Amino acid sequence: MPDSYSPQYVEAAWYPWWEQQGFFKPEYGRSSVSAPNPRGIFMMCIPPPNVTGSLHLGHALTNAIQDSLTRWHRMRGETTLWNPGCDHAGIATQVVVEKKLWREQGRNRHDLGREAFLREVWKWKEEKGDRIYHQLKKLGSSLDWDRACFTMDPKLSAAVIEAFVQLHEEGVIYRSTRLVNWSCTLNSAISDIEVDKKELTGRTLLSVPGYKEKVEFGVLVSFAYKVQGSESNEEVVVATTRIETMLGDVAVAVHPKDPRYQHLKGKILIHPFLSRSLPIIFDDFVDMEFGTGAVKITPAHDQNDYEVGQRHGLEAISIMDSRGALINVPLPFLGLPRFEARKAVLAALKEQGLFRGIEDNPMVVPLCNRSKDVVEPLLRPQWYVRCGEMAQAASAAVTRGDLRILPETHQRTWHAWMDNIRDWCISRQLWWGHRIPAYFITVNDPTIPPGEDPDGRYWVSGRSEAEAREKAAKEFGVSPDKIILQQDEDVLDTWFSSGLFPFSILGWPNQSEDLSVFYPGTLLETGHDILFFWVARMVMLGLKLTGRLPFREVYLHAIVRDAHGRKMSKSLGNVIDPLDVIHGVSLQGLHDQLLNSNLDPSEVEKAKEGQKADFPAGIPECGTDALRFGLCAYTSQGRDINLDVNRILGYRHFCNKLWNATKFALRGLGKGFVPSATSEPGGHESLVDRWIRSRLTEAVRLSNQGFQAYDFPAITTAQYSFWLYELCDVYLECLKPVLNGVDQAATECACQTLYTCLDVGLRLLSPFMPFVTEELFQRLPRRMPQAPPSLCVTPYPEPSECSWKDTEAEAAIELALSITRAVRSLRADYNLIRIRPDCFLEVADEATGALASAVSGYVQVLASAGVVAVLALGAPAPQGCAMALASDRCSVHLQLQGLVDPARELGKLQAKRGEAQRQAQRLRERRSTMSYPVKVPLKVQEADEAKLRQTEAELRKMDEAITLFQKMV
């Protein structure tokens, strides 16, 4: 066994062996997955990472939690499936491949054509697409890789087509022209989750793709519309942050109760650049207090305006094409890019004398997180999912308790979203993805008029073009040869296929063994940021298409932030690659990663400074086990995680402690050691043997209870405390004299107890730290010859197996530990480093005296004391002792006479006391100034108060010591 723990050595070879042996498959150890299992079934599907993705700390947290749960259920003997998968990530993948094409060939997708471009995407996917799988394996994720699914696989694609056709036939999916989030750079609609909201405090210049100069945002421009036929040249002033959209204005709205505009009922305003006139309309949505109380209405380019337009029957006039160039406007604005038009419109208003002012305006600018383009609301005919009824069913499932969402604080968010849900736009103007199985119908018959795009009657869906043709022919009462079909060019929103994931991976709509056994699943674990985008849609589509919930519980973990609580961002230099924590990386290595990223050169220097501040010496090698354990230890329900890499390093030291403890134990057990057939005690255990078994019982109870409640910090704390503070710091120390002694019966009892602690302790830790625990477990002898080959398929310790709670032993050893702490404190106070002072225990009653006598040997070992003697009741302690309280029933007297030079110690103490007094005085004076409560920050005040309390406590201890030494001189 190597002398010290090395993550690289320990984590090198176990994973391929686990995978090769089939330990991660639900079939392992049973004839088939459908074989009855009294322990039950556990099924969870992975939140499919993007095929373009590489591991980040969010993935690492997700997988640390999910794998620990999966391993726990598997070790409990349940039929366990954790199903891997990968998402085709429509926009992200298309953008990556387009950039690659442009970089390598100087061509875009339109130069290649759709079919050739899709071949390039598949080629890229085959070359690079499994990178995320390799990284998941590096994290130790015990997924059944034989069942890995890709959302564009034939099996999943068939499920997508089936779902669309079923929902379209039922009228749940329909065609409509509405406002969507549009990225002019991508030339596609995008979902809300792909929109970043950039907050501005006022005038700001932003870089926008396709524009050489930065564009001005964060200002409110006021201009006037003249009232038609007004003899007094009356005008209505409106204000906007998007002045170019005034070319699409069709009305001006005011509040029905606004006294300033009552006289303008029925009046018309003149548009300065267009032939159309604008009615003044009255609508409650207008805020009378904001600006002039008059609002320009542009239904085709603003969601609120669109709804106003619908209420008042206003025409929605689109003034931008899909690339953001102006249409349906007169010269000189026609054809201008939207932000060039912004400048042109402003200049034209000034020229006509209609400009009324410009002022800073705090606002939020929506940015496409893929292209960094400013998102434009545009009217487009798209496919929508009618969500109202499905959302009610999803909400009711939580209300009834059929679906549990944890932490429960997220249930309010769930109901709020479901109660206010809007229909879901599922069209995306991309080439990579599931092409929508809907066809526009042209009937080759002069008696049937041609249809228009938004008219649902002229659209048909089908599992194949032939099926669609038959349906269309039947709808229009003609023969199939009269039907001409044109398939929709668009693809489905990636979240549509993700919403089917829990059942599409199991073969739905076809019946299969996997579908009957593993659907519905047990648990869905993910980040709370995709509760609506993914979880809600899985629940809605699962209930609608299968009639059953896709899972019974949803556990939502927190978001990982940096050590300062900041969101992780490349520009701050605080993004941490989990592989860098596992393998370690130098500061220069971190800097080099920035140079290879897509950061602006101006942001690189800022990010470098952030890295230098947080990781001045780089990131040390911590290993996978330490990272996993650390992330789970951080996972407090409902709170974000402020990740400090130094704490992860602390868990690497914990791995080292496990290593050294096991190495010592194996040496102590000896080569010929044979563990007894069961873990039950033999009946001759010592007090400390009984105590460690009792503490092990508590660790087992807390671990199982924590897993059931998803309370990961409770589990990690229990296991860390058992190994470090109880087994290593106490039991192993107390064992040393026993193992070196001559009492064979005591040694045998101690060895069996020690083996039980190692066996049970490693099994407890295994779900969090699979590599180091497997490495150590394989070095232990087995109780039975037919024991499982791997720790990951060995039964998890359960309270029924470990029921050795012993309150008597716990009380006795707790007294020993209290005495030990008091002795150590006195040794530190009097600088007794290499000396073993005698210790006298003054007790309040005979019962405490008997207990103290029983544990005196343990105190001698743990406190490195000389003689440990219990004084007779009422007997005084010898002269020259320092005293400390161990408990309200026991005082510790530590013999100093002859061990220290009292005169010398007195001089040192008096000098130290003088400095402490001066420090306390300075703090008191600082805190007593008039301005202190007002000018000094609260955190500094609290720190000063704590420092003063600590200094005063030290002074009291020094005074006691001085008194003692004065008596000894």
Side-chain angles (χ1 to χ4, degrees):
M1 188 170 177
D3 283 341
S4 61
Y5 166 72
S6 160
Q8 203 172 350
Y9 167 80
V10 167
E11 293 165 14
W14 288 118
Y15 197 95
W17 179 68
W18 290 330
E19 199 180 348
Q20 184 187 359
Q21 296 298 311
F23 297 143
F24 302 159
K25 298 185 67 58
E27 291 89 348
Y28 180 79
R30 48 186 61 87
S31 56
S32 74
V33 292
S34 51
N37 184 351
R39 303 296 305 223
I41 293 168
F42 176 77
M43 194 281 172
M44 177 171 62
C45 60
I46 195 172
N50 286 353
V51 69
T52 55
S54 63
L55 217 57
H56 56 64
L57 272 176
H59 287 127
L61 172 65
T62 301
N63 283 277
I65 291 171
Q66 291 183 12
D67 193 42
S68 63
L69 285 165
T70 301
R71 286 174 180 272
W72 178 64
H73 282 283
R74 186 182 292 120
M75 291 175 75
R76 294 182 81 212
E78 297 168 41
T79 305
T80 300
L81 172 60
W82 184 21
N83 208 114
C86 203
D87 193 278
H88 65 278
I91 291 177
T93 308
Q94 183 159 311
V95 167
V96 165
V97 177
E98 282 201 87
K99 283 181 178 175
K100 180 175 180 284
L101 272 176
W102 186 256
R103 190 171 60 246
E104 294 175 0
Q105 302 177 25
R107 296 198 289 173
N108 61 33
R109 64 185 166 114
H110 299 286
D111 296 331
L112 263 69
R114 187 168 189 147
E115 295 307 314
F117 175 73
L118 290 178
R119 281 196 297 272
E120 288 290 328
V121 181
W122 277 107
K123 185 178 162 190
W124 177 89
K125 190 264 174 188
E126 295 310 317
E127 289 173 4
K128 308 277 188 180
D130 60 353
R131 178 177 59 170
I132 196 96
Y133 284 171
H134 291 307
Q135 292 175 323
L136 290 172
K137 290 178 181 184
K138 189 73 193 166
L139 274 175
S141 303
S142 61
L143 293 144
D144 180 0
W145 293 107
D146 292 340
R147 284 178 166 85
C149 292
F150 179 51
T151 47
M152 290 286 285
D153 285 346
K155 179 172 76 172
L156 275 69
S157 296
V160 168
I161 291 170
E162 179 64 32
F164 185 96
V165 172
Q166 276 192 35
L167 295 173
H168 183 236
E169 286 176 346
E170 285 186 41
V172 175
I173 287 178
Y174 64 96
R175 186 86 170 163
S176 181
T177 301
R178 297 185 182 183
L179 279 177
V180 293
N181 296 319
W182 191 268
S183 167
C184 297
T185 300
L186 297 175
N187 198 18
S188 175
I190 58 175
S191 69
D192 289 344
I193 201 171
E194 288 152 341
V195 178
D196 292 336
K197 293 176 170 60
K198 187 174 182 69
E199 292 192 19
L200 307 181
T201 55
R203 183 178 183 271
T204 309
L205 296 176
L206 298 179
S207 298
V208 179
Y211 294 83
K212 289 180 182 175
E213 295 180 1
K214 289 188 173 183
V215 180
E216 182 182 59
F217 293 90
V219 294
L220 196 63
V221 177
S222 300
F223 67 97
Y225 279 127
K226 297 292 183 181
V227 178
Q228 191 176 61
S230 169
E231 294 177 5
S232 59
N233 200 28
E234 191 174 3
E235 63 187 31
V236 174
V237 176
V238 293
T240 179
T241 57
R242 298 156 66 215
I243 191 67
E244 67 279 8
T245 62
M246 64 87 65
L247 296 168
D249 285 359
V250 296
V252 168
V254 295
H255 196 279
K257 294 180 180 174
D258 194 328
R260 293 169 291 182
Y261 300 108
Q262 295 301 315
H263 67 290
L264 293 178
K265 272 185 183 169
K267 296 288 185 181
I268 300 293
L269 301 175
I270 302 164
H271 198 294
F273 310 128
L274 304 166
S275 57
R276 66 174 175 267
S277 51
L278 313 179
I280 296 174
I281 60 172
F282 290 77
D283 196 287
D284 288 334
F285 106 99
V286 178
D287 179 1
M288 286 190 281
E289 305 301 318
F290 183 75
T292 62
V295 179
K296 59 187 279 305
I297 302 297
T298 322
H301 296 280
D302 180 275
Q303 186 61 47
N304 289 327
D305 293 5
Y306 179 77
E307 289 167 10
V308 171
Q310 294 285 296
R311 286 197 291 273
H312 294 270
L314 301 173
E315 186 182 6
I317 299 169
S318 292
I319 61 161
M320 286 177 211
D321 66 12
S322 62
R323 294 290 181 188
L326 265 58
I327 55 173
N328 300 324
V329 297
L331 291 169
F333 311 113
L334 186 64
L336 284 179
R338 56 190 164 147
F339 297 124
E340 294 295 331
R342 177 170 292 188
K343 291 189 276 190
V345 169
L346 189 58
L349 285 169
K350 287 178 178 178
E351 191 180 316
Q352 294 215 13
L354 296 172
F355 173 74
R356 293 293 177 266
I358 186 166
E359 57 184 292
D360 277 34
N361 180 64
M363 66 179 290
V364 173
V365 177
L367 299 177
C368 169
N369 65 12
R370 300 293 175 193
S371 65
K372 306 307 173 193
D373 195 5
V374 176
V375 173
E376 201 67 54
L378 290 189
L379 269 182
R380 287 287 179 274
Q382 311 271 277
W383 291 102
Y384 287 85
V385 177
R386 216 180 295 279
C387 293
E389 285 184 18
M390 291 196 296
Q392 284 176 8
S395 188
V398 172
T399 302
R400 285 194 308 270
D402 297 343
L403 176 65
R404 287 182 71 211
I405 297 177
L406 301 167
E408 290 183 354
T409 49
H410 292 293
Q411 291 186 15
R412 189 181 302 167
T413 310
W414 177 269
H415 291 303
W417 274 337
M418 293 301 155
D419 293 346
N420 299 288
I421 200 165
R422 291 186 174 186
D423 288 355
W424 169 22
C425 172
I426 54 171
S427 297
R428 295 292 179 268
Q429 289 63 44
L430 305 169
W431 287 354
W432 173 243
H434 297 105
R435 192 168 174 185
I436 293 174
Y439 303 81
F440 186 73
I441 304 163
T442 303
V443 185
N444 193 6
D445 185 328
T447 63
I448 297 171
E452 291 188 2
D453 186 317
D455 187 345
R457 188 171 176 239
Y458 283 85
W459 285 94
V460 65
S461 62
R463 295 163 187 83
S464 65
E465 189 171 335
E467 182 188 327
R469 192 180 306 282
E470 288 293 334
K471 285 162 77 174
K474 187 177 177 183
E475 171 67 26
F476 286 96
V478 297
S479 59
D481 61 307
K482 299 277 187 185
I483 297 293
I484 302 165
L485 296 179
Q486 178 62 48
Q487 187 174 357
D488 193 335
E489 294 282 326
D490 294 349
V491 300
L492 287 162
D493 178 11
T494 306
W495 294 102
F496 187 82
S497 51
S498 300
L500 309 175
F501 199 71
F503 46 96
S504 65
I505 59 173
L506 302 172
W508 182 92
N510 301 316
Q511 269 307 315
S512 68
E513 185 181 33
D514 272 8
L515 187 64
S516 63
V517 172
F518 295 118
Y519 189 84
T522 313
L523 173 70
L524 190 280
E525 196 285 334
T526 189
H528 65 68
D529 51 334
I530 53 172
L531 176 61
F532 178 71
F533 293 101
W534 188 43
V535 182
R537 286 162 178 171
M538 283 189 287
V539 172
M540 291 194 297
L541 290 170
L543 284 170
K544 183 68 183 172
L545 293 167
T546 73
R548 293 186 290 175
L549 286 162
F551 28 75
R552 295 188 294 276
E553 286 189 323
V554 176
Y555 174 71
L556 302 164
H557 64 247
I559 303 302
V560 184
R561 298 180 179 274
D562 73 4
H564 314 291
R566 300 173 304 179
K567 193 172 180 181
M568 294 208 169
S569 146
K570 287 180 183 174
S571 61
L572 289 174
N574 64 351
V575 170
I576 304 170
D577 183 337
L579 297 183
D580 287 340
V581 182
I582 291 169
H583 301 304
V585 64
S586 66
L587 179 60
Q588 187 56 50
L590 289 169
H591 288 348
D592 292 344
Q593 290 172 12
L594 292 175
L595 297 174
N596 297 328
S597 71
N598 55 5
L599 275 184
D600 285 342
S602 60
E603 291 184 310
V604 168
E605 286 310 311
K606 178 185 167 190
K608 277 186 177 179
E609 287 304 312
Q611 289 179 336
K612 194 174 177 183
D614 284 348
F615 314 112
I619 297 174
E621 179 193 33
C622 296
T624 300
D625 286 324
L627 176 63
R628 288 168 56 116
F629 193 86
L631 286 168
C632 290
Y634 265 108
T635 310
S636 244
Q637 287 192 14
R639 291 190 203 149
D640 284 352
I641 296 166
N642 296 351
L643 185 75
D644 184 350
V645 172
N646 288 323
R647 190 164 157 192
I648 303 296
L649 183 60
Y651 293 121
R652 186 212 188 282
H653 299 324
F654 175 52
C655 291
N656 196 52
K657 199 83 173 173
L658 298 175
W659 187 269
N660 290 337
T662 307
K663 192 170 67 168
F664 165 81
L666 289 171
R667 199 165 56 238
L669 293 174
K671 288 186 179 177
F673 173 75
V674 178
S676 57
T678 75
S679 59
E680 285 307 304
H684 302 289
E685 280 72 21
S686 68
L687 202 54
V688 79
D689 290 336
R690 288 162 51 202
W691 172 78
I692 197 66
R693 282 176 174 271
S694 186
R695 298 314 301 150
L696 182 58
T697 297
E698 183 65 1
V700 170
R701 185 186 72 80
L702 289 171
S703 295
N704 282 282
Q705 185 178 289
F707 271 122
Q708 282 158 357
Y710 306 111
D711 188 351
F712 299 98
I715 314 169
T716 53
T717 300
Q719 295 176 2
Y720 186 87
S721 298
F722 171 76
W723 273 93
L724 205 60
Y725 304 134
E726 293 164 354
L727 184 69
C728 292
D729 287 357
V730 179
Y731 186 66
L732 294 187
E733 292 301 319
C734 292
L735 224 53
K736 287 174 183 176
V738 179
L739 295 176
N740 294 327
V742 292
D743 186 337
Q744 290 300 313
T747 303
E748 175 62 17
C749 263
C751 284
Q752 292 297 342
T753 298
L754 176 57
Y755 175 84
T756 296
C757 288
L758 295 178
D759 170 45
V760 176
L762 290 172
R763 284 188 281 145
L764 279 181
L765 268 175
S766 176
F768 295 119
M769 292 183 155
F771 293 101
V772 70
T773 52
E774 184 78 81
E775 180 75 32
L776 297 173
F777 187 77
Q778 292 294 346
R779 296 172 187 275
L780 295 183
R782 298 285 182 269
R783 288 195 193 279
M784 309 291 277
Q786 68 273 26
S790 167
L791 180 55
C792 68
V793 287
T794 300
Y796 196 77
E798 297 202 15
S800 57
E801 174 198 347
C802 308
S803 53
W804 308 307
K805 191 72 177 167
D806 189 329
T807 51
E808 189 181 297
E810 291 215 22
I813 300 299
E814 184 48 47
L815 177 63
L817 295 177
S818 298
I819 295 168
T820 299
R821 284 190 289 270
V823 173
R824 286 174 178 170
S825 176
L826 288 170
R827 288 172 66 99
D829 289 346
Y830 295 102
N831 203 25
L832 303 175
I833 299 169
R834 292 184 180 85
I835 303 166
R836 297 174 72 91
D838 292 340
C839 175
F840 302 94
L841 306 178
E842 182 187 351
V843 294
D845 51 58
E846 287 183 3
T848 308
L851 211 53
S853 296
V855 298
S856 60
Y858 301 135
V859 172
Q860 199 170 18
V861 172
L862 295 170
S864 298
V867 173
V868 177
V870 180
L871 297 169
L873 286 178
Q879 283 293 312
C881 283
M883 192 274 281
L885 285 175
S887 74
D888 59 346
R889 318 297 294 165
C890 179
S891 301
V892 175
H893 298 268
L894 201 66
Q895 181 60 267
L896 303 182
Q897 193 87 45
L899 300 179
V900 294
D901 179 346
R904 186 163 165 247
E905 292 297 325
L906 202 53
K908 279 162 55 178
L909 269 174
Q910 283 169 337
K912 198 173 170 186
R913 183 177 181 274
E915 178 50 43
Q917 280 181 320
R918 286 190 290 276
Q919 186 179 4
Q921 189 57 32
R922 283 195 297 270
L923 280 166
R924 288 190 198 101
E925 287 171 1
R926 171 175 154 82
R927 295 176 75 231
S928 65
T929 59
M930 296 284 286
S931 59
Y932 181 84
V934 182
K935 290 188 176 178
V936 176
L938 190 60
K939 278 191 176 178
V940 177
Q941 289 186 41
E942 288 169 355
D944 283 352
E945 187 182 348
K947 203 170 184 182
L948 181 59
R949 278 202 308 270
Q950 185 185 344
T951 308
E952 287 172 340
E954 287 171 2
L955 277 167
R956 283 192 295 274
K957 278 195 167 188
M958 286 182 216
D959 286 340
E960 288 171 14
I962 286 168
T963 304
L964 177 66
F965 284 131
Q966 282 171 340
K967 287 179 183 174
M968 292 168 64
V969 172

